[in-house]
Amino acid sequence: MTRAHPRELGVLAALLLLIAGTAAANPRFLSAQSVRDLLLSAAILTVLAAGQTVVVLTRNIDLSVGSVLGLAAFGTADLLATHPGTPLPLAALAGITIGALCGALNGALISYGGVPALVITLGTLYVLRGAAHSWAAGRQINAADLPRPFLDLGTATVLGIPLLALLATAVVLAVALWLHSYRSGRELYAIGSEPAAAARAGVPAGRRIRTAFLLSGSLAGLAGVLYAARYGTVDATAGQGMELQVVAAVVVGGVAIFGGSGSVTGAALGALLLTCIGSSLAVLRVDPFWQQAVVGALILAAIGLDRLLTTRLAARAARTAPEVSRAG
Amino acid sequence: MPDPTAAPPPALRLHRVAKSFGAVTAVSDVSLTLHPGRVHALAGENGAGKSTLVRMLAGVHRPDRGTLELDGHPTVLRDPAAARAAGIAVIHQEPTLFPDLSIAENLYLSRQPTGRLGRIDRRALRAATTAQLARLGVTLDPDRPARGLSIADQQLVEIARALSLDARIFVMDEPTAALSGTEAARLAAVVRGLCDRGAAVLFISHRFEEIFGLAHDITVLRDGRHVSTDPADRLTPDTVVRRMVGRDVGALYPKTPTTPGDTVLEVTGLTRHGAFHDISFSVRRGEILALAGLVGAGRSEVVRAVFGVDRYDAGTVTVAGRPLPAGSPAAAMAAGLALVPEDRRQQGLVLQLSVERNTALTRLRRLARHGLLTTRRERADALHWTERLRVRHGGTHTPAGTLSGGNQQKIVLAKWLATEPAVLILDEPTRGIDIGTKAEVHRMMSELAARGLAIVMVSSELPEVLGMADRILVLHEGRATATLPGPGATAETVMAAATGHPGGAA
Ligand SMILES: Nc1ncnc2c1ncn2[C@@H]1O[C@H](COP(=O)(O)OP(=O)(O)OP(=O)(O)O)[C@@H](O)[C@H]1O
Ligand SMILES: [Mg+2]
């Protein structure tokens, strides 16, 4: 990254503060086991947030990710339960493909149908959840039905760090690299920042937006695979309501909800922060109601902060303009 | 000057093109030919259809009828990408930048220099941007986001973007509207350079010095129709104006001498760090004060601070003897100030709202009866103003965003003139306004001054400053370098002060 991002540093500071505060009140919060649990829980949300970031940057939103996760989790688990011999990479690929198909459907409906993403993905949220229910027909797949190596993936660690967390980090880094250093990645920012200018500049907005939804769907598919591996118990309700957490993570992480600015690292920090709040309030034995209130307040604070920063930055830029811009 | 018949085949030919938007015919039956190495100027009143032609060449609009040929081959420009691929670079009248992206990326989006594995080479990107901006004599930081750039800087970025394209045909829609003479002269030099390298240029401007200084051929449009095309050396500004307007235009700068009354606006020691320093001036009733200077001298920043849009660090503003609280446009309006902003699309108009609603927006209270605002009242009022300023529109109920650039500017003017303020602050009041209406705007300014209004005008157009102002305050890099009496000032004295050499003005 070429510049320090004040917004991401802010989230990081909040995260460190929260951890320090909770650890001071209850040192067990920082035990190896509890940190591992934290990272495991954050991993799935982070993968979803990475996909959501790409979509939100283009001034769109993907509300269907929770349902896609559910469908992919159930699909993968069902495949492994009925065909226990399936190689694991193939099973994972199956889950990702389910997600990719859902994402492609979203993208096609939005870019060809000309209907706002909010409406389309709200529709597919229900449709895909319905599809999962009719596929599952009330069945639940339990850990006992799944091959041991698959379940091990969910708890495996490398040098003490959960494998899922490493995977999520890899996803974040790859998406960050694309968004930051590739022409097509920069075009996503352009589309979200000023659609009219993007059209004039000849940016293939439709194609880019379809790609964004394809990626979001695929990552939701991957998240579904991870979900199945981590929890072992999957039914048609897997990931229900997750879309709101994801959007919250992205917004708290500094991705502008109207597109054009923010980063996937920020969104990942947002996911980590939200997960941390959940477990730290649990450790501190705070009423779960307060947990929701805190998350809500954080979202409002994040949005307020963004408005403030934008106007401040604009004002500062305007102020320094004559000095910077004119030699004389 | 080469003979057009002996010149190489036309780079671009529009043949009998037409374009309508619903009931509004923007362009009907216009033909236009661009030759390599020649500058072709397009003149016409606001709403004559110039920008519509430009959008056809940019691949934004498809002509309803007629054909387009490139190097003799009939071509259809399906979208902006197709136009760009065909070697056409367009500077649009309203710059549209990506506020969140850096200036460098605004210039080179989708064309960023890449290094290993297709990754963007940021250093090369920065260097290329700096080089492009340097051609125009601009030293903006390539890494700063475009958000918050002044209109002039936005326009310079838009120009640099087009120039950075490796194009054979350059289409420039009022590129100099927000620029002062110095920047415009630099652009003219660049345009001549492009021509020498064999590029064809279509150039639009409402400033005749520029047209006659640059163009080889001049085409005049009126009401969307082609009126004439002639080599520039066979025309005079007067003929062009007559053809544009179809009637004689009243004298420009009809300044009537007034006897100034009491001081209404007094600004002392106004300072905002990094923008302007220790600015003091006062305006009396019936007086027109002009703020002159180069782009970026801080003129707009000063008036924005006076009106309370921006904060300031030191100094005072008093209106009719009473201090005005800083940073409150509402208080400024209540005290009788009005500001016609520089950036009409961002600050002046609600583009989706109708013409009549936009015109009424500043006076909803006053126009309403028993708290109810009737469409009829709004419409009658809007008609009065649109006729007075000769706004060309497809009905006062149409969205303001569909008006031509100059006509949008007129609506902004109407909106504020109608508030009948005590102090009227105009930031580039005639930017993008055609010559006929310009005379009308100037006449209205004189009239308002004669009725006792105090007027503060920021203008980059030297003739306007010299013709209209009673007094001229010249700024250079945020500092006042001279206060000149309007009648005695000359282009030389103002320019000397504007470039920071007021010594020559003595
Ligand atoms: N999208 C649109 N919808 C409806 N009317 C339009 C649209 N675009 C342009 N027009 C109308 O077409 C006419 C020509 O507009 P155009 O922008 O080409 O004028 P112009 O010559 O560029 O004027 P100016 O000097 O003010 O820029 C105007 O009357 C305008 O209102
Ligand atoms: Mg125009």
Side-chain angles (χ1 to χ4, degrees):
Chain A
M1 303 279 141
T2 46
R3 289 163 179 242
H5 293 274
R7 193 63 181 72
E8 282 141 41
L9 293 181
V11 183
L12 192 62
L15 186 63
L16 295 178
L17 227 96
L18 179 72
I19 292 173
T22 317
N26 185 346
R28 292 242 318 277
F29 186 62
L30 280 186
S31 74
Q33 183 54 42
S34 129
V35 169
R36 250 199 310 275
D37 277 347
L38 198 82
L39 290 178
L40 269 180
S41 323
I44 292 170
L45 188 62
T46 302
V47 170
L48 290 175
Q52 190 71 250
T53 301
V54 173
V55 168
V56 171
L57 280 179
T58 64
R59 213 179 262 199
N60 282 289
I61 195 161
D62 188 351
L63 292 180
S64 70
V65 287
S67 302
V68 175
L69 182 149
L71 200 61
F74 191 83
T76 311
D78 195 32
L79 177 69
L80 284 170
T82 50
H83 303 84
T86 316
L88 292 188
L90 196 67
L93 194 66
I96 296 174
T97 308
I98 292 176
L101 289 175
C102 298
L105 175 73
N106 277 330
L109 287 174
I110 289 157
S111 79
Y112 296 119
V115 184
L118 186 77
V119 180
I120 293 285
T121 58
L122 188 62
T124 49
L125 181 159
Y126 285 108
V127 170
L128 295 175
R129 184 61 70 188
H133 274 291
S134 79
W135 185 355
R139 264 183 313 143
Q140 178 172 8
I141 294 168
N142 296 309
D145 308 326
L146 293 173
R148 194 67 241 167
F150 181 65
L151 295 172
D152 285 345
L153 281 183
T155 48
T157 59
V158 178
L159 302 173
I161 303 169
L163 184 66
L164 295 197
L166 290 176
L167 243 164
T169 311
V171 166
V172 168
L173 290 181
V175 175
L177 177 68
W178 177 46
L179 289 179
H180 186 69
S181 292
Y182 284 84
R183 288 177 178 172
S184 51
R186 302 312 297 167
E187 285 178 351
L188 296 181
Y189 284 87
I191 293 166
S193 185
E194 182 56 69
R200 269 190 194 173
V203 174
R207 195 158 81 221
R208 293 284 173 268
I209 289 173
R210 286 196 295 279
T211 309
F213 276 96
L214 182 70
L215 185 70
S216 173
S218 309
L219 288 180
L222 174 64
V225 177
L226 303 187
Y227 183 98
R230 162 138 166 75
Y231 295 106
T233 315
V234 184
D235 61 15
T237 61
Q240 199 155 308
M242 198 105 177
E243 55 280 340
L244 295 183
Q245 280 181 58
V246 176
V247 174
V250 166
V251 170
V252 168
V255 179
I257 197 73
F258 290 119
S261 85
S263 75
V264 68
T265 9
L269 287 173
L272 205 53
L273 180 63
L274 291 195
T275 315
C276 258
I277 290 174
S279 42
S280 99
L281 292 184
V283 163
L284 300 176
R285 298 181 195 286
V286 176
D287 189 324
F289 162 75
W290 284 107
Q291 183 179 333
Q292 305 214 348
V294 167
V295 172
L298 255 184
I299 295 174
L300 294 180
I303 292 174
L305 192 68
D306 277 343
R307 295 274 336 143
L308 196 73
L309 274 182
T310 317
T311 43
R312 273 289 158 79
L313 280 181
R316 171 138 42 103
R319 191 169 314 182
T320 51
E323 284 181 338
V324 183
S325 66
R326 302 295 142 190
Chain B
M1 195 179 295
D3 178 354
T5 53
L12 182 146
R13 207 163 85 96
L14 278 177
H15 186 61
R16 310 198 65 170
V17 290
K19 178 81 197 170
S20 307
F21 300 96
V24 183
T25 306
V27 168
S28 57
D29 200 19
V30 172
S31 299
L32 190 73
T33 310
L34 303 185
H35 294 281
R38 288 176 78 85
V39 178
H40 196 128
L42 202 53
E45 282 187 293
N46 295 134
K50 304 180 295 297
S51 298
T52 307
L53 277 182
V54 167
R55 285 188 210 114
M56 288 181 194
L57 300 179
V60 176
H61 291 332
R62 198 100 62 88
D64 299 337
R65 258 174 294 120
T67 53
L68 183 148
E69 282 173 20
L70 286 172
D71 298 320
H73 305 294
T75 310
V76 174
L77 300 174
R78 269 186 306 109
D79 52 31
R84 198 178 262 204
I88 304 176
V90 181
I91 298 168
H92 287 278
Q93 184 173 4
E94 305 292 346
T96 33
L97 305 181
F98 303 104
D100 301 294
L101 297 191
S102 67
I103 289 180
E105 290 199 295
N106 268 284
L107 252 62
Y108 286 101
L109 184 75
S110 309
R111 303 180 290 127
Q112 295 99 330
T114 51
R116 267 187 325 123
L117 301 171
R119 290 184 62 173
I120 294 169
D121 181 346
R122 304 230 161 217
R123 187 178 308 181
L125 173 63
R126 206 170 301 133
T129 307
T130 310
Q132 279 304 334
L133 292 172
R135 273 172 89 185
L136 295 165
V138 183
T139 48
L140 287 166
D141 174 9
D143 283 333
R144 69 157 284 182
R147 188 185 303 284
L149 284 180
S150 72
I151 287 284
D153 284 336
Q154 288 180 34
Q155 196 140 35
L156 286 166
V157 171
E158 171 101 10
I159 294 171
R161 168 159 66 186
L163 294 180
S164 74
L165 289 164
D166 187 25
R168 304 171 306 125
I169 299 166
F170 289 86
V171 178
M172 309 187 170
D173 194 354
E174 302 196 31
T176 56
L179 306 184
S180 69
T182 317
E183 288 87 22
R186 271 204 206 101
L187 176 64
V190 173
V191 168
R192 283 191 200 99
L194 292 173
C195 277
D196 291 343
R197 294 206 334 258
V201 179
L202 182 68
F203 186 86
I204 298 176
S205 172
H206 287 296
R207 299 185 189 167
F208 283 91
E209 328 80 86
E210 284 174 9
I211 292 185
F212 279 91
L214 207 51
H216 302 103
D217 308 292
I218 300 178
T219 288
V220 179
L221 294 184
R222 184 165 74 227
D223 295 335
R225 282 169 205 287
H226 180 267
V227 176
S228 67
T229 302
D230 296 282
D233 47 13
R234 286 205 222 126
L235 292 170
T236 63
D238 285 341
T239 9
V240 175
V241 172
R242 222 170 301 122
R243 287 181 190 171
M244 269 171 59
V245 185
R247 59 185 157 75
D248 281 324
V249 174
L252 278 179
Y253 321 122
K255 179 79 180 81
T256 42
T258 53
T259 29
D262 315 328
T263 299
V264 254
L265 175 68
E266 176 124 37
V267 174
T268 31
L270 207 64
T271 298
R272 200 178 76 195
H273 300 309
F276 48 84
H277 184 79
D278 196 16
I279 303 292
S280 303
F281 60 83
S282 62
V283 200
R284 295 190 284 173
R285 291 166 57 89
E287 206 180 29
I288 300 181
L289 172 78
L291 297 190
L294 301 185
V295 166
R299 298 162 301 167
S300 300
E301 287 80 359
V302 169
V303 294
R304 283 167 59 89
V306 168
F307 191 68
V309 184
D310 295 340
R311 307 202 147 270
Y312 47 85
D313 299 316
T316 54
V317 178
T318 46
V319 179
R322 262 192 248 137
L324 193 67
S328 165
M333 276 174 77
L337 260 59
L339 172 73
V340 178
E342 172 190 36
D343 185 348
R344 57 177 169 250
R345 288 179 83 87
Q346 296 276 337
Q347 298 151 11
L349 282 178
V350 188
L351 294 172
Q352 297 85 354
L353 285 187
S354 66
V355 168
E356 54 207 27
R357 181 56 56 87
N358 266 295
T359 323
L361 220 47
T362 45
R363 293 164 299 136
L364 293 178
R365 282 270 156 68
R366 212 178 316 160
L367 277 179
R369 203 178 292 160
H370 310 304
L372 271 181
L373 185 64
T374 61
T375 310
R376 183 137 54 92
R377 259 193 98 118
E378 261 187 344
R379 181 159 305 160
D381 178 73
L383 274 176
H384 164 76
W385 283 103
T386 51
E387 262 160 39
R388 175 130 195 225
L389 291 173
R390 294 203 189 84
V391 180
R392 194 166 184 265
H393 56 77
T396 55
H397 57 277
T398 51
T402 67
L403 295 190
S404 80
N407 285 311
Q408 290 179 14
Q409 179 73 1
K410 294 181 200 170
I411 301 293
V412 179
L413 271 176
K415 171 175 145 178
W416 286 104
L417 289 179
T419 61
E420 308 204 344
V423 181
L424 180 62
I425 306 174
L426 301 160
D427 197 351
E428 304 288 356
T430 59
R431 179 166 72 91
I433 283 190
D434 66 49
I435 192 147
T437 315
K438 209 179 257 183
E440 176 66 16
V441 170
H442 289 151
R443 220 171 50 69
M444 282 177 57
M445 283 171 63
S446 283
E447 217 179 272
L448 291 170
R451 290 210 329 243
L453 245 81
I455 297 182
V456 179
M457 168 180 80
V458 173
S459 174
S460 295
E461 236 177 292
L462 214 42
E464 183 170 88
V465 168
L466 296 172
M468 294 303 297
D470 294 304
R471 267 180 314 125
I472 306 169
L473 178 69
V474 189
L475 266 57
H476 169 67
E477 292 185 356
R479 283 161 200 276
T481 45
T483 309
L484 308 165
T490 65
E492 288 73 32
T493 51
V494 176
M495 277 317 289
T499 48
H501 307 291

